[in-house]
Amino acid sequence: MVKFCVFYYGKPEDYADMYRLIRDNAALFDGHEDAAFIVPGSLKDTRYGKLPPFEIVEEGKDVCAFARAVPGKADAPVALHLVDWAKTPAPFRLALQTRRSVEGDALAATLLRPGEKPTPLLSTVKNSQTLLDIPPLNPWGIVVVTPR
């Protein structure tokens, strides 16, 4: 099942924290392009065959994820935009295919959420994946992934 965005015409202060997050992190939007996505249901990203660059491996069945990267710049941060459509968001685990991201297994990740301070994420390396534990989202966040 594909989720759709609903437009809501609220007051500017209803969106101030989200706009602040975007303005403060403009470098994660400028020059970045679509790299991969996960949308639960019938919409599939088939560009990578059977080995997608990232996947949700535990919980998170209602999470949509959109990766944005700077073409031709492997050392630039990757922005993973996450939206949890669950009625009661819960923590989930994200697996990044490390060998596609950087040479070696070292990745650093930080979670950005509207109205909150950046949160460094703990990562675990297992085989060729970097596993990130994502806390509950309400409903949106950006995980910034960079080589260490």
Side-chain angles (χ1 to χ4, degrees):
M1 177 168 75
V2 176
K3 307 283 183 176
F4 294 97
C5 292
V6 176
F7 292 99
Y8 170 74
Y9 298 96
K11 299 174 187 169
E13 57 268 19
D14 294 339
Y15 301 100
D17 58 349
M18 183 171 48
Y19 287 128
R20 168 65 61 199
L21 178 72
I22 293 168
R23 286 186 68 131
D24 288 349
N25 295 283
L28 297 175
F29 295 87
D30 298 339
H32 282 66
E33 295 182 10
D34 168 63
F37 66 86
I38 297 171
V39 176
S42 60
L43 190 58
K44 302 285 182 205
D45 187 349
T46 58
R47 292 175 280 187
Y48 301 97
K50 295 183 180 187
L51 189 61
F54 67 98
E55 60 187 322
I56 297 166
V57 294
E58 291 178 21
E59 302 298 328
K61 66 181 178 71
D62 293 320
V63 174
C64 294
F66 306 89
R68 294 176 49 81
V70 179
K73 292 195 174 190
D75 59 340
V78 172
L80 296 168
H81 299 262
L82 305 171
V83 181
D84 192 343
W85 292 104
K87 289 181 183 180
T88 307
F92 60 96
R93 180 170 276 183
L94 193 63
L96 309 174
Q97 293 297 333
T98 305
R99 68 177 168 267
R100 286 194 177 204
S101 305
V102 295
E103 292 184 25
D105 290 334
L107 293 176
T110 302
L111 177 62
L112 306 175
R113 293 181 278 190
E116 297 186 27
K117 291 182 179 181
T119 305
L121 297 174
L122 296 176
S123 63
T124 306
V125 175
K126 183 176 181 183
N127 299 325
S128 62
Q129 294 183 326
T130 298
L131 304 173
L132 301 173
D133 291 320
I134 310 296
L137 300 174
N138 188 23
W140 177 63
I142 302 172
V143 173
V144 180
V145 180
T146 56
R148 289 184 200 242

